[in-house]
Amino acid sequence: MAPFQNDKEAADSLARAYQQLRLEIGKVIVGQDEVVRLVLTAVFAQGHCLLVGVPGLAKTLLIQTIADSLDLSFNRIQFTPDLMPSDIVGSETLTQQREFQFVKGPIFANIILADEINRTPPKTQAALLESMQEYAVTVAGQRYPLARPFFVLATQNPIEQEGTYPLPEAQLDRFMFNIQLGYPSYEEELNIVKNTTSDRKPTVNKLLHSADIQAYQALVRRVPVADNVVEYAVNLVHKTRPQGERAAPRAKQLLEWGAGPRASQYLVVAAKCNALLNGKYSPDIEDVRAVALPILRHRIVRNFKAEAEGVTVEQIVKELL
């Protein structure tokens, strides 16, 4: 990527790159436009994603296709009940010279697909915590930095509860987006069946390299944002805290816990990125609203009254908006 004269040129380039990525991903993935938008937003905003959906909705294929369209290293980790932390981060082994040598685990890649992350116990889930926040892992007292950019894209099946371990709140909070995948429409499913039952194998071209993505990530951070937009984002998060001074009446009625400060940070950064991807140079309140649901969905906890009345987290967030 050639250096840009100014940030305006870089912003225009990012909007073009985003449209090209969507076209490349569309060669393989039918529909799921909103999911693709959110995952690419997370990539450019330095965030991690949790994709939640029933089997067969192409969660894994989507992540692999996005990895194919980016010139980045990619590793898939299949989470199982017997997976150990050392199977993810690596371990020290004894060489023939009787010296300890660190053998890197699959976490040492740019894109990590954590498949069915809720199928492994919390001890192993916690192996991802340091890497997601600090972009490094510590083994035997030695800290090993991870290559940048670094993303964890995890999948989770919401309907099978037997043999699963719900993600702890601390880990959920490290995911920028909780993205819910729904069933395709009738027309989309027709296309899926036609495409996947023939010998057609689309080729996905690599469009962006590591340096390009890091440059765009830095650009997102430099985007100017008006005070009223930041205030809207922070006020929205405060509305979710039932014990707070700014709590919304519905939050006091239906919520046990609200979102933390990470939600405010992610709302602003994701709004900046959403604005750039849509050809704008600064976010407005609509950009915050566009990313609010997947950011808040996994950060607020309903109380017994909400569960008894069947009020969903999505309904609560939409009321707060």
Side-chain angles (χ1 to χ4, degrees):
M1 182 172 69
F4 297 108
Q5 299 292 327
N6 50 52
D7 282 350
K8 180 181 179 298
E9 275 189 23
D12 294 337
S13 171
L14 174 55
R16 288 193 300 271
Y18 168 64
Q19 296 302 330
Q20 291 170 347
L21 281 169
R22 293 188 70 148
L23 290 174
E24 286 299 311
I25 295 165
K27 292 179 181 177
V28 178
I29 302 298
V30 177
Q32 304 289 12
D33 292 335
E34 179 70 3
V35 177
V36 172
R37 177 183 75 85
L38 290 171
V39 174
L40 291 177
T41 299
V43 166
F44 294 121
Q46 301 181 54
H48 310 288
C49 286
L50 179 64
L51 280 75
V52 181
V54 298
L57 296 184
K59 300 185 294 295
T60 303
L61 179 62
L62 169 64
I63 295 170
Q64 289 177 328
T65 305
I66 289 174
D68 289 342
S69 66
L70 304 173
D71 188 17
L72 301 173
S73 58
F74 170 74
N75 278 334
R76 172 179 174 172
I77 305 171
Q78 186 67 48
F79 281 72
T80 57
D82 59 348
L83 194 74
M84 297 296 289
S86 58
D87 297 328
I88 297 174
V89 300
S91 59
E92 288 197 322
T93 59
L94 201 60
T95 65
Q96 290 181 337
Q97 291 75 31
R98 294 189 174 277
E99 295 176 347
F100 282 105
Q101 179 183 13
F102 177 61
V103 179
K104 293 181 176 180
I107 197 74
F108 287 86
N110 296 120
I111 300 177
I112 302 298
L113 165 54
D115 212 5
E116 294 195 286
I117 191 173
N118 60 331
R119 288 214 164 274
T120 200
K123 176 182 178 181
T124 306
Q125 292 172 0
L128 288 173
L129 283 175
E130 183 183 9
S131 61
M132 291 172 71
Q133 184 66 28
E134 309 294 336
Y135 300 99
V137 295
T138 303
V139 178
Q142 184 71 34
R143 193 170 189 267
Y144 299 93
L146 298 169
R148 305 289 290 272
F150 176 76
F151 315 104
V152 173
L153 304 175
T155 68
Q156 185 173 313
N157 179 354
I159 57 174
E160 279 189 274
Q161 298 305 322
E162 190 174 339
T164 62
Y165 304 83
L167 290 176
E169 298 300 323
Q171 180 132 15
L172 281 174
D173 197 42
R174 281 168 171 77
F175 286 101
M176 173 179 270
F177 292 137
N178 178 323
I179 305 171
Q180 304 279 347
L181 281 80
Y183 288 112
S185 67
Y186 177 77
E187 290 76 15
E188 289 171 348
E189 195 159 343
L190 277 178
N191 286 332
I192 291 169
V193 173
K194 288 177 182 176
N195 293 343
T196 55
T197 55
S198 68
D199 61 353
R200 172 180 170 270
K201 290 187 177 179
T203 302
V204 178
N205 299 311
K206 295 189 181 299
L207 297 179
L208 294 179
H209 307 288
S210 173
D212 304 332
I213 295 170
Q214 290 186 81
Y216 287 139
Q217 288 176 339
L219 172 69
V220 169
R221 297 283 168 163
R222 294 197 301 271
V223 169
V225 54
D227 286 346
N228 72 306
V229 177
V230 177
E231 289 165 6
Y232 178 82
V234 175
N235 188 53
L236 177 60
V237 172
H238 274 258
K239 281 184 180 180
T240 68
R241 299 173 186 167
Q243 299 87 4
E245 296 175 359
R246 295 174 177 264
R250 290 291 280 169
K252 291 180 179 179
Q253 292 174 8
L254 302 173
L255 294 182
E256 189 76 29
W257 294 101
R262 265 202 197 98
S264 301
Q265 294 170 332
Y266 282 149
L267 281 172
V268 173
V269 174
K272 288 182 177 186
C273 189
N274 190 71
L276 290 180
L277 298 184
N278 287 291
K280 298 188 292 186
Y281 302 120
S282 182
D284 54 27
I285 287 174
E286 284 307 309
D287 291 300
V288 177
R289 295 167 65 91
V291 296
L293 180 57
I295 287 176
L296 295 176
R297 176 186 279 135
H298 55 301
R299 291 185 163 86
I300 59 179
V301 180
R302 293 176 301 162
N303 60 19
F304 178 77
K305 175 180 169 65
E307 292 181 11
E309 293 179 0
V311 182
T312 65
V313 167
E314 286 79 5
Q315 289 172 326
I316 295 171
V317 172
K318 286 174 182 175
E319 285 186 35
L320 295 179
L321 285 171

